[in-house]
């Protein structure tokens, strides 16, 4: 079978990239806001390279995750959700791994360039993200998948972007990562909840599987509504400008997703078969509107 550019592009699961790129957008919008108040100096020249590096890392780690799930039997022809070309026998494990490693090597090269230009702290930020992502299948197996996604796509991505553009580490970046990290974690949690029975049969102890279906539903609601609550609190404590509350316009979408989650039963997972996709769309709208509100506020200063 042909394995051209489109084949490999699809294999990286590009529809998942907003999970990593939108935190970069949010951080850039917030730095633009800070710049208007003369609180910080921002080197915008590095922003395009940050986007590229984040996408490249995400692509490579997606492929490594799919490889590990295939090798351990978690993904097979009867498993729910997305199935990589490995499952269908379209490509060999050896070639798949070579391409994944090559992508990660390219991303590491970009990271080294940014480290040399912006400071050594990026070395441990990117290193933790790479190692944690590479061994994600191990963390997932022992109930730490949700936390890992929050750290990688929330804390590390926001702090890393902030550092590259300013050469400074910031506690404010940590605060900023909380809402987007919670919403992004909800994407994975929706996936885990759908796959509770399948994952337990495969020996994978996800958070959803360990707490049970009822509590998994509650956790999803906490993650989604927690994202909105975090924004409100950050506005109240003047970390975020008041126009950040534009994000509340996406609340009906979040509420609809939570209602969908609570329709699932032990007898049927049909209501949430595509909830991970719906949550990804919520994350895109949530982070996009939050970024827009911050940006518009910047123009009004």
């Amino acid at each position: 079978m042909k394995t051209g550019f489109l084949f490999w592009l699809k294999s990286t699961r590009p529809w998942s990239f907003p999970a990593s790129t939108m935190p970069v957008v949010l951080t850039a919008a917030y730095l633009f806001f800070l710049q208007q108040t003369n609180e910080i100096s921002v080197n915008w020249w590095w922003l395009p390279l940050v986007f590229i590096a984040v996408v490249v890392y995400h692509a490579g780690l997606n492929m490594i995750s799919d490889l590990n799930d295939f090798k351990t039997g978690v993904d097979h022809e009867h498993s729910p959700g997305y199935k990589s070309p490995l499952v269908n026998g379209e490509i060999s494990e050896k070639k798949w791994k070579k391409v994944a490693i090559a992508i990660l090597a390219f991303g590491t090269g970009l990271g080294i360039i940014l480290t040399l230009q912006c400071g050594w702290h990026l070395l441990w930020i990117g290193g933790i993200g790479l190692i944690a992502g590479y061994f994600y299948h191990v963390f997932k197996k022992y109930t730490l998948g949700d936390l890992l996604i929050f750290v990688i796509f929330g804390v590390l991505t926001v702090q890393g972007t902030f550092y590259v553009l300013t050469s400074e580490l910031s506690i404010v970046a940590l605060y900023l990562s909380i809402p987007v990290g919670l919403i992004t974690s909800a994407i994975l949690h929706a996936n885990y909840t759908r796959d509770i029975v399948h994952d337990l049969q495969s020996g994978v102890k996800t958070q959803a599987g360990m707490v049970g279906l009822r509590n998994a539903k509650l956790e999803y609601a906490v993650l989604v509504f927690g994202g909105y609550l975090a924004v409100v609190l950050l506005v109240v404590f003047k970390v975020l400008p008041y126009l950040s509350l534009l994000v509340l316009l996406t609340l009906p979408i979040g509420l609809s997703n939570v209602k969908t989650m609570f329709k699932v039963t032990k007898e049927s997972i049909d209501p949430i078969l595509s909830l991970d996709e719906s949550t990804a769309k919520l994350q895109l709208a949530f982070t996009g509107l939050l970024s827009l509100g911050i940006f518009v506020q910047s123009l009004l200063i």
Side-chain angles (χ1 to χ4, degrees):
M1 182 176 179
K2 293 181 179 180
T3 53
F5 174 76
L6 290 179
F7 172 86
W8 290 115
L9 178 62
K10 182 179 179 181
S11 297
T12 64
R13 289 188 270 139
W15 53 87
S16 69
F17 292 164
S20 56
T21 56
M22 291 309 294
V24 176
V25 172
L26 175 61
T27 309
Y30 188 69
L31 285 173
F32 184 72
F33 168 73
L34 292 182
Q35 192 176 42
Q36 306 318 301
T37 59
N38 297 316
E39 293 183 22
I40 201 164
S41 176
V42 183
N43 188 343
W44 295 108
W45 290 106
W46 294 116
L47 184 58
L49 194 57
V50 172
F51 270 106
I52 296 172
V54 165
V55 168
V56 170
Y57 264 135
H58 195 171
L61 292 175
N62 276 348
M63 292 185 67
I64 290 295
S65 177
D66 288 342
L67 175 63
N68 287 320
D69 282 347
F70 175 69
K71 290 173 66 175
T72 56
V74 174
D75 282 353
H76 50 77
E77 59 180 328
H78 300 298
S79 57
Y82 166 78
K83 300 175 183 63
S84 73
L86 288 165
V87 175
N88 301 322
E90 298 177 50
I91 193 75
S92 68
E93 291 181 36
K94 185 177 181 181
K95 187 169 185 179
W96 183 276
K97 187 173 183 178
K98 281 184 177 180
V99 172
I101 294 299
I103 292 173
L104 290 176
F106 178 56
T108 300
L110 295 177
I112 291 173
I113 292 173
L114 289 171
T115 298
L116 292 174
Q117 294 296 322
C118 306
W120 70 271
H121 284 296
L122 189 62
L123 194 62
W124 64 262
I125 294 173
I128 291 174
L130 177 60
I131 294 171
Y134 193 91
F135 293 102
Y136 163 72
H137 64 289
V138 177
F139 288 88
K140 179 177 73 172
K141 189 175 182 179
Y142 296 103
T143 74
L144 295 173
D146 293 39
L147 176 62
L148 193 68
I149 293 302
F150 177 85
V151 171
I152 294 175
F153 294 113
V155 177
L156 293 178
T157 302
V158 173
Q159 187 69 258
T161 302
F162 196 103
Y163 182 72
V164 168
L165 298 182
T166 66
S167 295
E168 295 180 16
L169 296 176
S170 173
I171 189 66
V172 176
L174 176 61
Y175 299 150
L176 186 66
S177 71
I178 294 174
V180 66
L182 290 172
I183 296 293
T184 304
S185 295
I187 302 173
L188 187 72
H189 188 71
N191 184 293
Y192 284 164
T193 304
R194 181 196 66 200
D195 296 346
I196 281 180
V197 174
H198 171 72
D199 285 340
L200 289 176
Q201 290 174 345
S202 302
V204 177
K205 301 175 182 179
T206 63
Q207 178 98 5
M210 290 298 95
V211 302
L213 183 59
R214 179 183 178 184
N215 289 327
K217 295 179 185 179
L218 291 173
E219 183 177 341
Y220 180 81
V222 168
L223 289 171
V224 172
F225 293 139
Y228 290 99
L229 178 60
V231 171
V232 171
L233 290 176
L234 290 175
V235 170
V236 169
F237 287 102
K238 298 182 179 180
V239 175
L240 291 176
Y242 67 87
L243 281 183
S244 300
L245 295 177
L246 282 175
V247 76
L248 296 179
L249 293 176
T250 67
L251 188 56
I253 304 174
L255 181 59
S256 176
N257 284 352
V258 171
K259 287 181 178 179
T260 298
M261 173 60 84
F262 275 84
K263 291 178 182 178
V264 71
T265 64
K266 293 182 179 180
E267 291 72 31
S268 175
I269 63 170
D270 289 349
I272 62 169
L273 284 176
S274 61
L275 185 58
D276 55 345
E277 180 181 341
S278 299
T279 310
K281 292 178 180 177
L282 170 64
Q283 190 262 9
L284 181 61
F286 178 98
T287 315
L289 203 54
L290 177 57
S291 302
L292 179 63
I294 295 171
F295 179 74
V296 172
Q297 184 83 57
S298 305
L299 300 179
L300 299 177
I301 294 176

